[in-house]
Amino acid sequence: MKISRRKFMGSTAAAAAASPLLFNASASAQLAADDIDWGMGFPDGATLLNRNENPIGPSQRAIEAAKVGVEKSFRYADSILIKSLLAEHHDIEEDYILVGAGSGELLNIAPMITMSEPDHNMVATWESYRAVPGRVERLGHKVKWVHLLEEEKYEYNVDRLLAAVDENTRLLFMVTPNNPTGTILSFDDMHKLADGLPDHVLLIVDGAYTDFQDVDKDGIDLIKGGHKNILVTRTFSKIYAMAGLRCGYGIGHPDVMKKISRFGCGPTSTNMAGFGAMAASVGDTDHVKKSRDFVSRARAYYSSECDKLGLSYMAGPPNFFLAETGEYTDAIAAELRAQKIFVRPGAEWGMPNHTRISYGLDHENQTFFAALKEILGA
Ligand SMILES: Cc1ncc(COP(=O)(O)O)c(C=O)c1O
């Protein structure tokens, strides 16, 4: 649909009024649980569709185990013990696995073990999750960006990725399914990429959303098949809905994992609540199905609402939706924010005409579309 400028006049002041609040308790107070700001600084009654959280929450089993973990939290947890569960689940030796405080811990460490000289660079996709390339740039290294192209339907193009690699490249970072486009790197393309990389390049396959899709084979199979320079990362934040417990892991050749473990992902990266919840969740096919069913329903609803509004979109397997909201994308986000509805305008991924919306519960999704329709005058 055509979105006119007139609709966005005066949105900035209204948006400012609904910006996240600061935690305003006095420093000396010991708050009761009811007085704690569980909204994490967002205004009361906010609809949070901006952080790719999974609102169905952890399984009951995970919650019970986490509660026991809290009672036992006078002790340090030992994440090494989780490795045996993950090893069995993925049918791989324990020394191929490291557990971290979210998959983010492994991703944060990867540049440290690979980029030792100032002229070392990394190859990454522009229209993608920026945490790792952002860190690499802050460390003073160059990121060689490869674009996903609209005319290629935002598909990965392995030849262009490989063409960007040079003798100074040390990391190539891939997210599949991609955040925010949902684009999938097929196993054949992943294989081609891994085979085409020189030995001095570590291929990171960020699989934060892998569990939302059915795959016969993935990066873990390449590692099992003998590829030494691949790091696959996975998380409990998304499919198991445990983002706030900070539980993730990586799989790679023991030589890679040994290097990572020099900088983190040690026994105490896990907290006792997360330890319990992870142990109760590894391979929980019921909860995986529940999350996938939730996403299928939400995706169908978002697709049908966007079809009615005449908005184009991309919606892959993960728990988010990317709508083409045009040149007034930032103004739309500001108007929504003024109504305490939080979404993610796409400029941060080089997609300024798109908005990423993380699926909420039914009533939250309805709140979002009611507000969007009003804003667009539809
Ligand atoms: C693509 C991608 N990778 C990694 C992460 C970080 O996940 P974790 O919570 O496991 O640190 C996110 C979080 O949104 C993500 O979108």
Side-chain angles (χ1 to χ4, degrees):
M1 83 179 285
K2 190 98 185 89
I3 300 168
S4 81
R5 183 164 211 278
R6 176 183 51 80
K7 297 193 170 74
F8 301 106
M9 305 303 259
S11 61
T12 322
S19 295
L21 302 171
L22 292 176
F23 195 83
N24 61 0
S26 102
S28 62
Q30 282 96 56
L31 297 179
D34 282 351
D35 297 330
I36 291 172
D37 179 8
W38 295 109
M40 298 298 133
F42 287 92
D44 266 356
T47 302
L48 298 184
L49 307 177
N50 54 339
R51 303 195 295 183
N52 287 356
E53 293 156 344
N54 176 352
I56 71 168
S59 71
Q60 208 44 49
R61 259 198 344 205
I63 291 172
E64 292 308 323
K67 281 184 185 165
V68 176
V70 171
E71 281 160 18
K72 296 188 180 299
S73 62
F74 61 97
R75 297 211 184 280
Y76 293 110
D78 186 347
S79 68
I80 307 288
L81 300 174
I82 300 290
K83 292 200 322 183
S84 62
L85 298 176
L86 292 167
E88 197 182 325
H89 178 60
H90 289 292
D91 191 20
I92 200 163
E93 299 294 316
E94 279 183 43
D95 53 357
Y96 281 73
I97 299 175
L98 278 177
V99 176
S103 56
E105 185 174 6
L106 292 120
L107 295 171
N108 283 342
I109 292 171
M112 294 189 228
I113 63 161
T114 47
M115 311 187 84
S116 51
E117 301 295 329
D119 56 357
H120 284 164
N121 69 58
M122 168 191 198
V123 173
T125 305
W126 181 252
E127 293 79 6
S128 188
Y129 184 63
R130 293 280 181 89
V132 180
R135 192 175 181 81
V136 162
E137 283 184 334
R138 288 192 295 281
L139 285 167
H141 298 285
K142 183 175 175 184
V143 176
K144 298 182 81 179
W145 295 107
V146 176
H147 286 275
L148 296 180
L149 302 177
E150 191 177 356
E151 57 270 31
E152 292 178 358
K153 297 197 168 71
Y154 295 99
E155 297 290 342
Y156 285 121
N157 183 320
V158 171
D159 293 328
R160 282 197 287 111
L161 284 159
L162 285 174
V165 172
D166 63 30
E167 72 279 9
N168 287 321
T169 303
R170 289 296 177 274
L171 270 182
L172 195 151
F173 179 63
M174 299 297 297
V175 183
T176 179
N178 188 34
N179 172 11
T181 60
T183 305
I184 291 168
L185 178 69
S186 69
F187 180 71
D188 287 348
D189 275 350
M190 199 186 290
H191 206 162
K192 185 173 160 188
L193 193 56
D195 284 349
L197 286 175
D199 289 345
H200 59 259
V201 179
L202 178 68
L203 169 62
I204 301 182
V205 180
D206 178 338
Y209 303 96
T210 297
D211 289 313
F212 287 99
Q213 64 177 138
D214 270 325
V215 278
D216 286 343
K217 284 182 166 184
D218 65 12
I220 298 171
D221 294 284
L222 292 178
I223 294 165
K224 287 182 194 173
H227 273 278
K228 293 191 170 158
N229 277 350
I230 302 181
L231 171 66
V232 172
T233 54
R234 294 285 183 86
T235 184
F236 288 82
S237 299
K238 311 296 180 181
I239 196 88
Y240 294 114
M242 287 164 36
L245 283 172
R246 310 306 305 126
C247 298
Y249 59 100
I251 296 186
H253 188 274
D255 290 349
V256 174
M257 303 321 257
K258 260 185 226 136
K259 286 185 198 159
I260 291 179
S261 67
R262 288 171 54 210
F263 295 98
C265 297
T268 54
S269 281
T270 312
N271 66 73
M272 198 59 110
F275 176 85
M278 263 194 288
S281 295
V282 176
D284 180 351
T285 48
D286 286 348
H287 209 61
V288 168
K289 180 171 179 335
K290 216 170 150 189
S291 286
R292 288 186 184 186
D293 288 349
F294 155 73
V295 164
S296 301
R297 274 198 317 278
R299 190 194 302 118
Y301 174 67
Y302 273 68
S303 305
S304 113
E305 291 300 304
C306 282
D307 286 342
K308 284 187 227 157
L309 288 169
L311 297 178
S312 305
Y313 53 86
M314 279 176 266
N319 56 329
F320 52 81
F321 192 89
L322 191 69
E324 192 169 347
T325 37
E327 63 182 305
Y328 297 110
T329 291
D330 286 340
I332 292 170
E335 291 267 2
L336 288 167
R337 209 155 53 236
Q339 299 181 45
K340 300 199 270 190
I341 301 166
F342 293 83
V343 296
R344 247 356 214 275
E348 68 181 277
W349 308 288
M351 304 184 82
N353 292 339
H354 289 77
T355 301
R356 192 195 72 189
I357 312 111
S358 313
Y359 299 132
L361 297 173
D362 289 350
H363 72 276
E364 296 173 311
N365 297 331
Q366 286 155 12
T367 300
F368 164 70
F369 274 106
L372 183 65
K373 282 177 197 166
E374 197 190 307
I375 292 167
L376 298 180

